[in-house]
Amino acid sequence: VLLILGYLLKQAGAQFSFDEVLATAKKVGMGSFLVAGIWVLAQTLFQILRLWCLLPSSPYLTFEKVSYAFSLGQFLNSFVPARAGDVVKMMLVSEHKKPETLAHSAGVVVSDKIVDLASLFFLVALTSSGALMGANWLGRYTNLLVIGIGILATLLLVLFFSRKALYARFPTVVKFELGLKCLIDYKTSLPALLSSTASWVCEAIA
């Protein structure tokens, strides 16, 4: 990703030198670069496991298939706006390219994002994030958290009470909701949450 970004910057006329990048790497130490690279690979592996845990069991959805979908999606997210890589993930993990299965895959991809954020919040709460935000960060951000939870709860209630109308107008919403149900199944959500937590830990170490 760094090499491609450097090439694009150079083509755009920006002042970018691969020699300077190499010189910086030497100052840091190639050993440190190698260790950091190993931790980044471990982070990516746990991210793939997170998505794989949330997806339904299927001969089509092999670990290799999910790895390819996730890696390509993350790569595109680095260069394409509007999180287009997530759309690619959704399409690649859909066994049949039909609205129903695409909607189900979209629900799983959204669930993957929710688990990712939940694990990050868990780690921040666990460590109190004292080094970055101060030991009393929770007290200072209580109002913001309450407002955010209130907005989310209101949205969920509106969706719950209007679900029949949504089902009638948009039949694919049923499949999207089915994709979200992996969050309430501890056999899928718990391993996904553990994998996501491990990925954040690997990123912090790297």
Side-chain angles (χ1 to χ4, degrees):
V1 172
L2 179 61
L3 292 175
I4 293 174
L5 181 60
Y7 174 78
L8 293 175
L9 288 171
K10 200 159 188 175
Q11 291 299 312
Q15 296 296 324
F16 183 88
S17 172
F18 288 104
D19 293 333
E20 292 179 2
V21 174
L22 185 60
T24 303
K26 288 181 178 179
K27 289 180 181 178
V28 174
M30 296 306 295
S32 299
F33 256 70
L34 180 61
V35 171
I38 292 173
W39 281 110
V40 169
L41 288 175
Q43 176 199 2
T44 305
L45 175 61
F46 282 119
Q47 288 175 326
I48 294 170
L49 284 172
R50 182 186 67 212
L51 178 59
W52 191 48
C53 290
L54 295 173
L55 287 166
S57 299
S58 169
Y60 172 80
L61 293 172
T62 62
F63 184 75
E64 292 79 6
K65 181 75 175 180
V66 177
S67 298
Y68 173 73
F70 181 87
S71 301
L72 182 60
Q74 291 297 98
F75 178 80
L76 291 176
N77 278 339
S78 301
F79 300 102
V80 182
R83 307 295 294 181
D86 291 334
V87 178
V88 173
K89 290 181 199 175
M90 177 190 72
M91 296 181 67
L92 290 176
V93 297
S94 297
E95 185 171 357
H96 307 291
K97 303 301 185 287
K98 296 179 180 179
E100 294 80 8
T101 53
L102 287 172
H104 181 272
S105 298
V108 174
V109 171
V110 171
S111 299
D112 180 65
K113 298 298 181 185
I114 293 173
V115 170
D116 188 31
L117 289 175
S119 61
L120 176 61
F121 182 79
F122 169 74
L123 284 175
V124 170
L126 187 66
T127 60
S128 297
S129 195
L132 296 177
M133 295 186 293
N136 194 32
W137 71 273
L138 187 58
R140 290 188 286 116
Y141 292 99
T142 298
N143 292 337
L144 184 61
L145 288 171
V146 170
I147 292 173
I149 293 172
I151 292 174
L152 180 60
T154 302
L155 179 61
L156 291 175
L157 285 173
V158 170
L159 290 174
F160 178 78
F161 287 110
S162 61
R163 66 187 188 283
K164 291 184 178 179
L166 285 172
Y167 292 163
R169 187 172 180 83
F170 305 104
T172 53
V173 172
V174 179
K175 293 293 184 180
F176 179 80
E177 182 181 345
L178 186 62
L180 291 174
K181 283 188 175 180
C182 62
L183 291 173
I184 59 177
D185 183 359
Y186 74 93
K187 293 181 181 179
T188 58
S189 59
L190 183 58
L193 186 62
L194 292 175
S195 298
S196 185
T197 304
S199 74
W200 283 113
V201 171
C202 289
E203 181 175 355
I205 295 174

